Amino acid sequence: MVDLRDTWFVRDVEIPTRLVLAPMAGVSVQAFRRQGRRFGAGLVCSEMVSCAGIEHRNERTLGYLRVASDEHPLAIQLFGSEARTMAEAARMVEAAGADIVDLNFGCPVKKVTKTGAGATLLDDPDRAARIVSAIAEAVDLPVTVKLRRGLRDGSRDCLVVGPRLVEAGASCLTLHPRSAQQMYTGTADHALTAELVSLVDVPVIASGDIVSRAKAQTVLATTGAAAVMVGRAAQGNPWVLEEIVGGDAREPTREEVVAELVLFVRETVRELGERRASGFLKKFYGWYLGRGRFPRPFKQELVVLDSTDEVERRLIAAAPGSLALIERLEAEVPSGDEVTLELPISIYGGG
Ligand SMILES: Cc1cc2nc3c(=O)[nH]c(=O)nc-3n(C[C@H](O)[C@H](O)[C@H](O)COP(=O)(O)O)c2cc1C
């Protein structure tokens, strides 16, 4: 059996467990990543960040480059289509304090693929390799790439593109073996992950449908992947990370659920501000309170509230025993203000 508490390396970056928290747009804020680290993820990743947004010094885009001191090791993921712009953005990622630059060659969403970024790069191995080598030259950080299997159903293009990217300088590949066309339907075909592992001499991370310790063990044992990545299963459910790295499979108490959610709400408000956070957080209420943990109407009550203070009051009223846990968490977990490094990049232009 593979021990998920083993350390491994992405080039010279030491990763303390074989569990990686997936990059998810609209989800992977600092609060999510820091929580993931606390529950056993050895590596966390930002959501995909637009290289065009960085080039134009878009304020919101630059906000995605904020790194907290307790997130390391952390990858920041970039998407783009043009080697020069992407290399420039990678330099900013390095300046921001990330440990790894990850490139998104897998996003299937039209808004991204129509610009020549994301999964479309799987159809153009030459351009994909040029991008990787330009970035590997521009920064000292390891460059890693996250791929889908290909654009169309049944595609095996990742087996052609993957080794090309390693030749071009990629230090690690993550494979989500669904096609872009598939989006999230069907299942991730990890037989393809095993084939990719056999073709490259860098670590491969297996992404897709890892929902339990048993599944993680099977995928690691049958593919030879260095690590598993967990995405949707961790939404509102950090306890699954604990289980996957080797803890007990246990349902958290209502008090624990409320305490983690309240901390998550507070940290997200600090990160995004009350106005943005209150909309952003709504999907998390269903994720945390679902799974039979609280009656459905309770979530409906929360999502119509405008202020996160009111959300917090209702949550604590539903599980008063959570107060002591929240206090303990607040004391143990350094607050965002203490750990969030000042962005070393002026958001108002220039440097
Ligand atoms: C809401 C959502 C947003 C995602 N955003 C990204 C992203 O920004 N970058 C990326 O490489 N993959 C993204 N993914 C894909 C995940 O990283 C992961 O590969 C995929 O969900 C399969 O893993 P899972 O079955 O554990 O969820 C996203 C997935 C979801 C569900």
Side-chain angles (χ1 to χ4, degrees):
M1 243 193 0
V2 182
D3 188 350
L4 274 99
R5 291 199 174 105
D6 278 348
T7 59
W8 60 290
F9 286 85
V10 173
R11 208 187 64 193
D12 48 350
V13 176
E14 182 171 350
I15 317 287
T17 69
R18 296 188 179 275
L19 175 59
V20 180
L21 192 61
M24 288 186 282
V27 177
S28 300
V29 288
Q30 280 185 349
F32 185 76
R33 296 171 343 218
R34 296 175 65 216
Q35 181 189 59
R37 291 301 324 268
R38 267 193 296 125
F39 279 83
L43 176 65
V44 296
C45 187
S46 77
E47 69 174 79
M48 56 181 199
V49 183
S50 159
C51 291
I54 292 179
E55 186 181 25
H56 296 118
R57 301 294 189 266
N58 178 293
E59 194 168 332
R60 189 178 282 200
T61 309
L62 292 176
Y64 292 129
L65 302 184
R66 272 204 185 89
V67 174
S69 58
D70 60 352
E71 290 189 79
H72 298 287
L74 162 90
I76 289 183
Q77 188 186 65
L78 296 173
F79 74 96
S81 59
E82 209 259 312
R84 190 192 50 81
T85 324
M86 292 189 75
E88 198 48 51
R91 284 195 197 98
M92 300 271 275
V93 166
E94 185 164 55
D99 302 284
I100 291 171
V101 190
D102 188 53
L103 307 178
N104 181 314
F105 290 2
C107 180
V109 176
K110 266 253 160 57
K111 202 171 88 182
V112 169
T113 53
K114 76 174 187 214
T115 67
T120 37
L121 285 159
L122 300 171
D123 246 7
D124 193 347
D126 291 338
R127 192 157 53 91
R130 270 201 308 280
I131 288 174
V132 170
S133 68
I135 295 174
E137 242 168 62
V139 295
D140 291 331
L141 301 181
V143 180
T144 62
V145 186
K146 186 159 174 286
L147 318 163
R148 282 206 177 214
R149 65 181 295 162
L151 280 182
R152 284 158 294 275
D153 287 354
S155 168
R156 295 166 57 81
D157 287 347
C158 60
L159 302 180
V160 176
V161 181
R164 290 281 312 273
L165 303 181
V166 173
E167 265 170 49
S171 297
C172 173
L173 301 175
T174 301
L175 180 63
H176 175 203
R178 281 187 172 87
S179 69
Q181 186 184 1
Q182 250 183 304
M183 301 293 282
Y184 291 93
T185 62
T187 51
D189 178 6
H190 285 295
L192 217 55
T193 312
E195 286 192 62
L196 183 63
V197 169
S198 72
L199 293 174
V200 296
D201 58 4
V202 296
V204 172
I205 302 170
S207 170
D209 305 342
I210 312 289
V211 295
S212 64
R213 182 163 158 73
K215 179 77 185 194
Q217 286 289 352
T218 305
V219 169
L220 286 172
T222 57
T223 62
V228 287
M229 178 178 272
V230 177
R232 290 166 295 172
Q235 292 171 338
N237 197 23
W239 297 275
V240 80
L241 302 176
E242 205 170 59
E243 187 228 329
I244 290 172
V245 288
D248 299 329
R250 67 177 188 97
E251 220 354 78
T253 64
R254 281 181 164 208
E255 286 71 25
E256 286 174 303
V257 171
V258 165
E260 280 299 332
L261 178 52
V262 166
L263 189 73
F264 192 85
V265 168
R266 289 180 183 173
E267 291 199 342
T268 306
V269 170
R270 275 197 287 261
E271 183 180 347
L272 302 180
E274 167 71 21
R275 227 174 64 91
R276 248 177 96 196
S278 65
F280 172 89
L281 284 164
K282 288 185 197 283
K283 56 186 177 286
F284 285 87
Y285 303 148
W287 288 339
Y288 273 90
L289 305 174
R291 304 170 196 268
R293 291 169 181 163
F294 283 84
R296 207 174 256 265
F298 184 46
K299 179 202 100 179
Q300 312 292 3
E301 256 177 60
L302 298 187
V303 294
V304 297
L305 299 173
D306 290 326
S307 108
T308 57
D309 279 348
E310 185 58 25
V311 169
E312 190 175 308
R313 266 197 295 280
R314 302 263 184 119
L315 282 168
I316 293 170
S322 62
L323 258 180
L325 290 178
I326 295 168
E327 274 171 27
R328 198 186 319 151
L329 278 174
E330 284 280 12
E332 280 171 13
V333 180
S335 89
D337 295 341
E338 289 162 32
V339 293
T340 299
L341 310 174
E342 264 310 301
L343 201 60
I345 298 154
S346 163
I347 55 177
Y348 298 110

